[in-house]
């Protein structure tokens, strides 16, 4: 059989009607695309100034942020609503304020008989010293802080050591404050600069560990060598006085006291007048106290305090 060719309307050819329908659809698509492009150009023309302004503002803000000098190693952080601000270290040339430490360094208590006139003088000096702050590297002076002991400042006559015996003197008994402070400073490992023991031994203080004062010449001084402030807390009751020091301890302290030696017998005598104070008599002696300062378990230095007490005479007042 011979092959037959497809006719005009066979599968090899498109019908004229179909060609016209496809052309109309393509035209509509081109017209729609043209309208969309035109609308897009109009949208861009209307809104590009605002977009450009926003981009320029963002660039300026970002440049200002990146241009601000920051601490080395600091990194940017996202701010979270309600979160605490990030902790930033201060520049090296700025030292933050640090209040005096409340860590106890040492404390010491001495006792006395209640109701004596000297109690008034002890309370006055204790009130002046309480709360006093000694800055790092400075030297504390008992006489400079407490000031003169006069009747105009409230001090009253009380027994005080003058020379070889006890007499009534304005401000008598205030040495109990300086002696108690001495022991607190001694225990705290602070640098004792100037301290003189009483000429006669008084049982209220440990032998060889005390400081006598007399305004303005005889003073008790010590230096704050800890690098941090030291605060004094001084309180008294009817029969006791307590001195506490607060700060940061630099050294650990070990102490040793020798036996009493070199005894000197006392004498007997008679006193007259209102300033006379009767005494029972007490032998004189010598004693040594050593204080060893340690840092991290290693000995830094060893100090020796040698004291010679004169005998206290037996006095009968007439």
């Amino acid at each position: 059989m011979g092959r037959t060719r497809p006719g005009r309307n066979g599968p090899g050819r498109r019908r004229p009607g179909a060609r016209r329908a496809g052309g109309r659809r393509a035209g509509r698509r081109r017209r729609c695309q043209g309208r969309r492009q035109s609308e897009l150009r109009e949208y861009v023309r209307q809104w590009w100034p605002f977009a450009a302004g926003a981009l320029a503002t963002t660039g300026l803000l970002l440049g200002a942020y990146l241009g601000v000098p920051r601490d080395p190693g600091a990194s940017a952080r996202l701010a979270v609503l309600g979160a605490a601000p990030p902790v930033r270290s201060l520049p090296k040339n700025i030292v933050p304020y640090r209040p005096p430490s409340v860590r106890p360094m040492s404390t010491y208590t001495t006792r006395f008989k209640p109701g004596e006139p000297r109690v008034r003088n002890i309370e006055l000096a204790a009130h002046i010293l309480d709360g006093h702050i000694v800055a790092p590297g400075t030297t504390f002076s008992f006489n400079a802080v407490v000031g003169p002991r006069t009747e105009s400042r409230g001090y009253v006559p009380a027994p005080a050591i003058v020379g070889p015996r006890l007499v009534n003197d304005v401000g008598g008994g205030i040495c109990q404050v300086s002696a108690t402070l001495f022991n607190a400073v001694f225990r705290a490992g602070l640098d004792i600069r100037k301290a003189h023991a009483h000429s006669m031994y008084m049982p209220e203080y440990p032998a060889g560990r005390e400081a006598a004062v007399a305004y303005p010449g005889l003073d008790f001084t010590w230096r704050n060598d800890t690098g941090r402030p030291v605060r004094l807390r001084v309180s008294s009751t009817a029969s006791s006085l307590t001195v506490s020091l607060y700060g940061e301890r630099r050294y650990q302290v070990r102490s040793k006291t020798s036996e009493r030696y070199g005894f000197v017998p006392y004498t007997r005598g008679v006193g007259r007048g209102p300033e006379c104070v009767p005494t029972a008599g007490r032998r004189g002696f010598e004693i040594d106290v050593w204080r060893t300062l340690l840092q991290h378990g290693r000995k830094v230095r060893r100090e020796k305090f040698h004291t010679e007490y004169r005998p206290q005479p037996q006095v009968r007042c007439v």
Side-chain angles (χ1 to χ4, degrees), residues 8 15-17 46 63 66 69 77 101 139 167 183 186 197 202 206 239 245 253 273 305 315 317:
R8 295 179 60 92
R15 295 191 302 271
Q46 291 180 357
L66 295 177
R77 295 178 177 87
S101 175
T139 299
V167 298
N183 280 276
F186 183 94
M202 305 298 292
S239 60
L245 302 180
V253 175
F305 299 83
V315 176
C317 296

Side-chain angles (χ1 to χ4, degrees), residues 21-41:
R24 285 196 296 270
R25 285 194 295 270
R28 283 197 297 270
R29 284 196 299 270
R30 287 194 294 271
R31 287 194 297 272
C32 289
Q33 291 175 356
R35 283 197 299 271
R36 284 196 294 270
Q37 292 175 356
S38 177
E39 291 174 355
L40 180 61
R41 285 194 295 270

Side-chain angles (χ1 to χ4, degrees), residues 112-125 154-160 167-177 238 274 277:
F112 46 82
K113 292 181 180 180
E116 296 181 335
R118 65 198 304 262
V119 176
R120 167 65 176 171
N121 300 329
I122 292 172
E123 291 174 347
L124 287 174
Y155 292 95
V156 298
V167 298
N168 281 314
D169 190 28
V170 175
I174 200 174
C175 289
Q176 179 128 6
V177 182
V277 177

Side-chain angles (χ1 to χ4, degrees), residues 18-313:
R19 183 183 301 115
R20 287 194 298 271
R24 285 196 296 270
R25 285 194 295 270
R28 283 197 297 270
R29 284 196 299 270
R30 287 194 294 271
R31 287 194 297 272
C32 289
Q33 291 175 356
R35 283 197 299 271
R36 284 196 294 270
Q37 292 175 356
S38 177
E39 291 174 355
L40 180 61
R41 285 194 295 270
E42 181 64 19
Y43 179 83
V44 171
R45 185 183 66 82
Q46 291 180 357
W47 291 100
W48 79 264
F50 301 97
L55 290 174
T57 303
T58 303
L60 290 174
L61 292 175
L62 182 60
Y65 173 76
L66 295 177
V68 174
R70 294 185 293 169
D71 296 336
S75 59
R77 295 178 177 87
L78 292 178
V80 180
L81 185 62
V87 177
R88 306 258 323 253
S89 59
L90 292 173
K92 293 182 179 180
N93 59 340
I94 298 179
V95 179
Y97 169 75
R98 293 181 178 180
S101 175
V102 295
R103 185 179 302 173
M105 298 176 66
S106 65
T107 186
Y108 199 82
T109 300
T110 58
R111 302 190 180 279
F112 46 82
K113 292 181 180 180
E116 296 181 335
R118 65 198 304 262
V119 176
R120 167 65 176 171
N121 300 329
I122 292 172
E123 291 174 347
L124 287 174
H127 178 73
I128 295 172
L129 290 176
D130 186 37
H132 185 80
I133 295 175
V134 183
T138 62
T139 299
F140 170 91
S141 166
F142 187 92
N143 283 340
V145 175
V146 176
R149 279 72 88 175
T150 60
E151 291 181 343
S152 61
R153 302 186 68 202
Y155 292 95
V156 298
I161 298 176
V162 178
R165 59 179 61 188
L166 286 175
V167 298
N168 281 314
D169 190 28
V170 175
I174 200 174
C175 289
Q176 179 128 6
V177 182
S178 61
T180 309
L181 176 60
F182 176 93
N183 280 276
V185 171
F186 183 94
R187 285 185 168 183
L190 294 164
D191 184 15
I192 298 174
R193 308 294 288 181
K194 184 191 298 183
H196 300 277
H198 289 84
S199 59
M200 295 185 298
Y201 171 66
M202 305 298 292
E204 291 87 354
Y205 327 126
R209 285 175 44 179
E210 40 117 342
V213 291
Y215 189 87
L218 191 59
D219 200 3
F220 167 48
T221 64
W222 53 275
R223 188 172 66 92
N224 177 9
D225 58 348
T226 66
R228 292 295 305 274
V230 173
R231 181 170 62 90
L232 277 65
R233 177 77 171 91
V234 186
S235 60
S236 62
T237 67
S239 60
S240 67
L241 174 72
T242 300
V243 175
S244 301
L245 302 180
Y246 293 84
E248 289 192 5
R249 177 185 286 272
R250 183 181 181 186
Y251 301 116
Q252 293 79 44
V253 175
R254 292 178 183 171
S255 63
K256 178 183 178 182
T257 303
S258 72
E259 297 290 336
R260 300 178 185 185
Y261 63 94
F263 291 99
V264 178
Y266 63 86
T267 60
R268 295 172 174 83
V270 177
R272 292 177 175 84
E275 293 183 354
C276 177
V277 177
T279 54
R282 190 175 288 116
R283 291 187 302 171
F285 61 91
E286 298 180 41
I287 195 168
D288 298 314
V289 175
W290 292 272
R291 182 176 74 160
T292 303
L293 303 180
L294 302 98
Q295 193 171 44
H296 308 301
R298 290 188 172 186
K299 183 174 73 173
V300 177
R301 65 176 181 268
R302 192 172 189 239
E303 304 166 326
K304 181 181 179 180
F305 299 83
H306 174 72
T307 305
E308 296 182 10
Y309 289 110
R310 299 168 63 178
Q312 183 185 101

